[in-house]
């Protein structure tokens, strides 16, 4: 009986250490209701700046959360924000339905929107939502299923289309694009090179 009690205590002690070490590997998760953040319940994308401020593409705009306060930044035309890419605390890029642009922080600390697609030929968008954005120090890529636009911080240029594409993605330090039901391409400058 004494041996049984020693084995039982050893087992319980071992399990308590396993349970404790397992608990430290779990990330802390906080759930917020839409009432807490004051926007719609659909959040399409997320990114974080160097200060730890988190940005969400929401059905009713760009949500900003600094860990304490929520701020809803609405697009002038009230569109859903599908994609978000943070360059810095002062510059955030968003994409939505037939629209993409940049938010810049003004002297009061509020984000102000500037459309980058307003002067483009909207007929080339063909009912496109811009689902993916990648920002680098050199340029920003805005990707829909039908097109990819590049912004070099001076002008916007549409890249020659491969046809319908899935997602533009970053692989190590390169950008790759998968053609819908087709090949995978490496983006070299403004040209596509098939990965083979």
């Amino acid at each position: 009986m004494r041996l049984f009690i020693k084995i039982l205590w050893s087992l319980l002690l071992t399990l308590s250490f396993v349970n404790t070490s397992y608990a430290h590997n779990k990330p802390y998760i906080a759930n917020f209701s839409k009432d807490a953040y004051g926007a719609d319940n659909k959040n399409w994308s997320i990114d974080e700046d160097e200060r730890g401020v988190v940005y969400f593409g929401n059905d009713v705009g760009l949500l900003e959360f600094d860990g304490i306060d929520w701020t809803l930044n609405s697009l002038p035309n009230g569109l859903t924000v599908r994609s978000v890419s943070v360059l810095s605390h002062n510059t955030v890029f968003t994409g939505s339905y037939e629209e993409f642009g940049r938010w810049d922080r003004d002297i009061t600390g509020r984000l102000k929107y500037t459309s980058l697609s307003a002067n483009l030929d909207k007929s080339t968008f063909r009912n496109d939502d811009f689902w993916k954005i990648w920002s680098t120090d050199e340029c920003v890529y805005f990707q829909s299923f039908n097109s990819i636009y590049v912004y070099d911080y001076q002008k916007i240029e549409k890249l020659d289309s491969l046809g319908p594409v899935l997602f533009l993605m970053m692989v190590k330090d390169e950008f790759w694009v998968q053609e819908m039901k087709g090949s995978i391409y490496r983006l070299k400058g403004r040209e596509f090179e098939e990965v083979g």
Side-chain angles (χ1 to χ4, degrees):
M1 183 71 161
R2 226 173 164 78
L3 181 62
F4 176 73
I5 292 173
K6 282 184 177 181
I7 292 172
L8 184 61
W9 276 110
S10 296
L11 183 61
L12 288 174
L13 188 60
T14 303
L15 287 176
S16 69
F17 284 125
V18 169
N19 191 26
T20 303
S21 65
Y22 177 70
H24 291 294
N25 292 327
K26 292 183 188 177
Y28 175 74
I29 296 173
N31 291 308
F32 297 95
S33 70
K34 67 179 188 169
D35 296 330
Y37 56 77
D40 206 19
N41 64 344
K42 287 186 186 171
N43 293 297
W44 296 97
S45 58
I46 184 172
D47 204 357
E48 182 180 15
D49 71 20
E50 71 277 8
R51 293 184 178 185
V53 177
V54 184
Y55 303 84
F56 302 86
N58 186 274
D59 264 0
V60 293
L62 175 66
L63 270 173
E64 183 180 358
F65 183 56
D66 64 7
I68 298 170
D69 295 316
W70 291 92
T71 304
L72 176 61
N73 304 283
S74 298
L75 285 169
N77 47 14
L79 292 173
T80 296
V81 174
R82 299 277 190 212
S83 54
V84 176
S85 181
V86 175
L87 183 63
S88 71
H89 182 67
N90 293 317
T91 306
V92 178
F93 297 96
T94 58
S96 60
Y97 177 74
E98 295 185 350
E99 175 69 32
F100 56 85
R102 65 183 287 163
W103 300 80
D104 292 296
R105 206 166 293 282
D106 67 14
I107 198 163
T108 68
R110 293 184 172 262
L111 289 172
K112 299 293 179 193
Y113 184 72
T114 304
S115 175
L116 296 173
S117 59
N119 296 326
L120 298 175
D121 179 10
K122 297 287 185 181
S123 68
T124 63
F125 289 169
R126 295 191 312 245
N127 295 321
D128 276 352
D129 277 293
F130 286 86
W131 289 99
K132 198 71 177 164
I133 303 171
W134 287 97
S135 53
T136 69
D137 290 336
E138 294 80 33
C139 66
V140 183
Y141 294 102
F142 297 91
Q143 182 252 316
S144 72
F145 289 128
N146 290 312
S147 56
I148 297 173
Y149 286 83
V150 63
Y151 172 55
D152 65 3
Y153 299 103
Q154 302 295 319
K155 65 185 182 316
I156 299 287
E157 180 183 349
K158 183 179 179 184
L159 299 182
D160 289 334
S161 181
L162 298 168
V165 295
L166 282 172
F167 289 109
L168 174 67
M169 59 204 114
M170 186 168 243
V171 178
K172 294 191 180 183
D173 58 347
E174 298 179 321
F175 289 103
W176 290 22
V177 178
Q178 182 182 356
E179 189 177 26
M180 228 178 262
K181 299 181 182 177
S183 298
I184 294 177
Y185 295 86
R186 184 180 292 117
L187 187 55
K188 292 280 202 173
R190 288 170 170 52
E191 303 293 322
F192 296 102
E193 176 185 283
E194 190 170 0
V195 176

